Every structure is written in C-alpha cells, then in structure tokens.
Amino acid sequence: MPKHLKKLTVLCLAAGFILASSFTYAEKQKHPIDTDTEACLDKDSSTAGMITCLDEAIKSWDAELNRVYKALQSELNANAQKELKEAQRQWIKYRDAEFEAIGALYRSIYETMGGGTMWSTWAVGAKEEIVKQRVLELTSYLNVFSEDN
C-alpha cells in the first residue's frame, strides 16, 4: 500500500473513533463531568489546555467510578459483591493494558503522520472514554436498584 494511502487510512480510523465517541455522547443525557470538561475546553483550546482538561476529566471519572462502585457494592449480596470485585480487578487490568495500547497506537500514528500535537490530545480523549464507559456500565447496574420494579 502506498505510504500516502496508509496515512490516510490511519487518519480515517482515528477520525472514525472520535466520531463514534461523539455519537455515543449525544445519545445519552449529558453527565456533569462532560459539562465541566466542555467548559474547561472552551476556556483553553490550546493543545496543552485540552490535555489538562481531559486529564482532569479522567480524574473526575475515576472518582465517580469509585463512588458508583461503592454504592453498587452496598446493594449487592455477598456473592455478587465478590463477583463484582473480581470483575473490577479484571477491568483495571484491561484499563491499564488499554492505556498502554492507546499510548503506543498514538505514538505510532504520530510517527507515521510526521508529527502533530493533535495526536496526544486524541490519546488522552481515548483514555477518558475508557474510564467513562466503565462508570456508565456500573451506573446502569446501580440504577436497577432504584427503579420501580
């Protein structure tokens, strides 16, 4: 495959990931962390500013993850608590491996595309999405306990 087509393919894949994430956001009610992140990004749209905002979003999602996890654990029986704890341990391994893969992927894209600061921003955004999705999964489990059955 010619080098310019390879670069275009990589760029299209990365753009597709970002667009898919955007559609996921639009389909769901906006979470306060998303609102805070958007406000932060509106204040500073430089690459450094975006990375700072997205790093803060990851920290906020991680704090929310811990809150939701604890709330869910308090609703479960002993066996389900044990299973959720093990699932969370496995998810943390997945998250860590995925973060490593995202870093490697975007470093490769950076090298293939000949540089550009946007790749580091996209990498942090991809990491944010990993944590956010876990929060949303656990929240959906927790919501079962608050629904009228």
Side-chain angles (χ1 to χ4, degrees):
M1 175 183 286
K3 189 170 184 171
H4 71 283
L5 287 179
K6 187 185 247 183
K7 287 181 182 182
L8 183 59
T9 301
V10 169
L11 182 60
C12 288
L13 287 171
F17 173 78
I18 297 299
L19 286 173
S21 296
S22 297
F23 290 128
T24 301
Y25 291 147
E27 291 172 4
K28 299 175 181 164
Q29 185 177 8
K30 200 171 273 189
H31 193 281
I33 295 172
D34 289 328
T35 303
D36 291 346
T37 302
E38 287 175 10
C40 182
L41 292 168
D42 287 343
K43 287 180 188 172
D44 186 356
S45 61
S46 69
T47 300
M50 288 189 282
I51 290 171
T52 297
C53 292
L54 293 170
D55 278 337
E56 285 302 312
I58 291 171
K59 290 176 188 169
S60 295
W61 283 117
D62 191 56
E64 181 69 356
L65 177 63
N66 290 325
R67 185 193 70 75
V68 171
Y69 174 83
K70 287 175 185 173
L72 181 56
Q73 281 284 46
S74 73
E75 296 288 345
L76 300 174
N77 65 35
N79 186 53
Q81 288 176 350
K82 178 183 168 195
E83 294 297 328
L84 178 62
K85 185 176 184 177
E86 181 57 27
Q88 192 64 11
R89 283 184 179 150
Q90 294 301 318
W91 178 83
I92 290 168
K93 289 179 184 179
Y94 159 79
R95 179 206 59 200
D96 293 347
E98 194 67 17
F99 277 18
E100 288 296 320
I102 288 168
L105 171 75
Y106 282 102
R107 280 189 297 279
S108 179
I109 292 170
Y110 177 86
E111 293 165 4
T112 302
M113 299 300 287
T117 57
M118 71 180 162
W119 303 117
S120 56
T121 305
W122 284 13
V124 178
K127 291 176 181 180
E128 177 204 11
E129 186 65 20
I130 298 288
V131 181
K132 176 183 176 175
Q133 288 306 312
R134 183 61 176 169
V135 171
L136 297 177
E137 287 171 354
L138 294 182
T139 300
S140 71
Y141 301 150
L142 181 60
N143 287 342
V144 171
F145 291 97
S146 62
E147 292 177 356
D148 293 328
N149 293 328

